[in-house]
Amino acid sequence: TMPFLAEELYQNLVVFGSGTLPAASELPESVHLASWPDANPAWVDEALNQEMRLVMKLASLGHAARNQANLKVRQPLSEIAFSVSSRDENLALVRWADLLADELNVKKVSALGSAGEAVVYSLKPLPKQLGQKYKGLFPKVSQAVLALDPAQAGPILLGGNRVQVMVEGIALDLLPEEVEVRAEALHGLVVASEGPYLAALHVELSEALVLEGMAREFVRRVQEARKQLGFEIADRITMTYQATPKLAQAIEAHREYVMGEVLALEMKVGESTGEQDKVTFAFDVETIEAWLRRSP
C-alpha cells in the first residue's frame, strides 16, 4: 500500500502542484525514479531519539512481563511501574507515560523509587569463578558477598557493573559473572528486567478490568466476522446478539466503545428478525451468536 500512497502524494503535490518548483517536465516521472533527499542534520533531535529508545526498551520489558503472566494485550491491567537508571530517564518516563500506557494497555504508568519496591534480591557467590580466582581466600570472599546489601548490589551487578568487597583489608572488585543475582517478584507483580531497567506489572484483575477485557475480545471477534462477511472497512452495520450472561454484561458495560469500534449504528439483544448474516464464536467459557447486517 505505501508505495502506491507515496506515488499518489508525489503526483498530486509535486508533479501537478509544483508551483515554484521546476516544471513538471523537468521532474522525475515517478517518485520511485527520484533520488533520496539529502538529510538535514539540524532536523535531528538526538534528545528525542534517546527518549524514544528508552520508551521502546521499556515497552519491550512491559510486553515481556505480560508474556510471563500469559496476559494478552487486549486485557487491560491496572498499572505498570518502571525502574530506570538516571534522573533524566525518570523524567522521560513521566513525559511519555501516556504513550507507554496506550502501548501496554494499562491504566497507569509510574516510576519505582527503587527496584526493591518490586522485587527481593538475593546474592549467591559462584564457587567455580571465585574459587579459581581467589583460591584460599574464597571462603572469606564468599562471606563478604553474602554480607552485601542485596537491594543495592543486585541492580549494580545486573547492570553489568562491578561491586567491591573488603577481604583482609584488601578491596576486591567482583565481576557480574562471579555472583549470581536472583530476583523474586513481590505478590501481585510480574517482573521483567534487563540490566538496570525493570518493569513491574500489576497482574491482579478487578471485575471491571475483566469485563473490559471481554468487551475488547468481543470487538476483535466482530471485526474478524466483518472481514469474513466481505464488509468494507467503512461499512456501518446493525447488530443483534445473544451471549452468555457475563459476556452480555461486559458488552453492555462498554456499549459505546463496542459500537464505535465495530461501526454499529444499532446494537440490541435478541434474535434476528430479518436478512442478517449470523456468526457464532466462543472464547474462555463465553459464547455468543450475533447477526450482522450492512446498513444502507
Side-chain angles (χ1 to χ4, degrees):
T1 301
M2 289 308 298
F4 297 103
L5 176 59
E7 183 63 26
E8 186 74 14
L9 290 172
Y10 178 78
Q11 294 297 326
N12 290 337
L13 299 177
V14 178
V15 176
F16 297 118
S18 56
T20 58
L21 295 175
S25 60
E26 300 176 20
L27 295 169
E29 181 180 355
S30 165
V31 70
H32 303 296
L33 299 176
S35 300
W36 287 103
D38 294 330
N40 185 344
W43 293 347
V44 177
D45 188 336
E46 188 53 42
L48 180 60
N49 283 342
Q50 290 179 3
E51 289 188 357
M52 286 300 101
R53 283 192 284 269
L54 173 67
V55 169
M56 292 171 63
K57 180 184 290 291
L58 298 182
S60 177
L61 286 176
H63 285 301
R66 271 190 171 273
N67 289 338
Q68 287 183 45
N70 196 27
L71 289 167
K72 296 178 181 178
V73 178
R74 282 187 297 277
Q75 173 59 60
L77 296 173
S78 61
E79 184 177 0
I80 190 167
F82 293 101
S83 177
V84 293
S85 64
S86 70
R87 179 178 177 276
D88 286 343
E89 288 188 342
N90 209 54
L91 292 174
L93 170 61
V94 173
R95 186 156 40 248
W96 299 104
D98 289 346
L99 181 61
L100 283 165
D102 184 63
E103 170 67 20
L104 297 171
N105 194 15
V106 295
K107 303 299 183 183
K108 180 181 178 183
V109 172
S110 60
L112 289 168
S114 69
E117 294 179 9
V119 297
V120 175
Y121 290 105
S122 61
L123 306 177
K124 178 185 177 183
L126 297 175
K128 181 178 180 181
Q129 290 85 337
L130 292 174
Q132 290 179 348
K133 185 174 181 179
Y134 295 108
K135 308 280 191 283
L137 277 180
F138 169 70
K140 292 185 177 181
V141 173
S142 180
Q143 290 176 1
V145 171
L146 297 175
L148 291 170
D149 181 357
Q152 291 184 353
I156 293 173
L157 290 164
L158 288 174
N161 299 307
R162 306 178 181 197
V163 295
Q164 192 174 85
V165 296
M166 296 296 295
V167 177
E168 295 186 348
I170 303 172
L172 303 177
D173 286 332
L174 303 184
L175 305 177
E177 58 268 25
E178 294 171 342
V179 181
E180 179 183 355
V181 181
R182 297 177 181 175
E184 183 178 350
L186 299 180
H187 177 70
L189 299 176
V190 171
V191 168
S193 63
E194 180 182 334
Y197 302 98
L198 180 142
L201 183 67
H202 293 249
V203 294
E204 294 180 340
L205 293 174
S206 66
E207 181 70 8
L209 289 172
V210 170
L211 293 179
E212 186 178 346
M214 293 172 67
R216 286 174 174 265
E217 182 65 28
F218 173 67
V219 165
R220 185 181 76 86
R221 300 302 179 100
V222 174
Q223 300 288 41
E224 289 180 350
R226 285 176 55 104
K227 292 179 183 178
Q228 293 171 2
L229 295 171
F231 291 1
E232 298 294 332
I233 293 176
D235 283 345
R236 268 49 179 176
I237 65 170
T238 60
M239 178 167 60
T240 306
Y241 74 91
Q242 288 186 330
T244 45
K246 192 165 186 178
L247 178 54
Q249 180 186 358
I251 295 170
E252 291 304 315
H254 297 277
R255 183 179 185 83
E256 184 176 342
Y257 161 76
V258 170
M259 292 181 66
E261 290 295 309
V262 304
L263 301 183
L265 298 177
E266 179 183 340
M267 183 175 72
K268 60 183 180 180
V269 179
E271 291 188 7
S272 173
T273 56
E275 292 295 326
Q276 290 179 298
D277 293 295
K278 179 181 178 181
V279 292
T280 302
F281 42 79
F283 56 90
D284 299 330
V285 295
E286 309 300 327
T287 59
I288 188 168
E289 292 181 333
W291 291 267
L292 311 180
R293 181 172 60 193
R294 184 189 285 109
S295 293

